[in-house]
Amino acid sequence: MTRLYGPIGVQHIDQSQPKVASPGQFPWAVSLRRRRSSGQSRHTCAGSLVTSRHVVTAAHCLHKTTRDQWEAVVGEYRPESSDSQEKIIQVGICIVY
């Protein structure tokens, strides 16, 4: 059993009984997909929505890339197929700190 400490207190997670997430359960989760030379996009990193227009991710995800190589996917439930609630958004700017 794992204990997670956070602002809501202690949660006990029974790792022997994994649960599948429900559609929309994690609305702040973002899949950052990098476009390949073939034109296909592939999940490369994850991020979190911090406002309706801003995503935070790890700086190493963006290392040696440009904004036009990226798209952000919000509302994704099944990565292998397109979902009705999924939105693909072109990245407007990348700022690395």
Side-chain angles (χ1 to χ4, degrees):
M1 179 132 11
T2 301
R3 289 184 182 199
L4 297 177
Y5 297 90
I8 57 171
V10 177
Q11 288 181 309
H12 297 279
I13 298 173
D14 184 357
Q15 294 176 333
S16 67
Q17 298 293 323
K19 294 182 181 179
V20 175
S22 302
Q25 186 174 354
F26 303 103
W28 57 84
V30 177
S31 171
L32 296 172
R33 295 180 183 171
R34 188 171 177 189
R35 280 190 214 88
R36 307 292 180 203
S37 56
S38 66
Q40 294 288 331
S41 295
R42 183 177 179 160
H43 172 84
T44 305
C45 276
S48 294
L49 283 171
V50 292
T51 73
S52 62
R53 297 181 52 193
H54 299 95
V55 175
V56 171
T57 190
H60 72 267
C61 293
L62 306 175
H63 185 69
K64 295 187 179 181
T65 64
T66 60
R67 70 168 181 87
D68 58 324
Q69 293 175 287
W70 293 97
E71 62 188 22
V73 183
V74 294
E76 182 172 64
Y77 181 61
R78 294 172 297 181
E80 70 281 353
S81 63
S82 189
D83 298 309
S84 62
Q85 70 274 11
E86 171 180 301
K87 283 189 173 183
I88 300 173
I89 301 162
Q90 302 310 309
V91 173
I93 189 169
C94 293
I95 301 170
V96 179
Y97 288 98

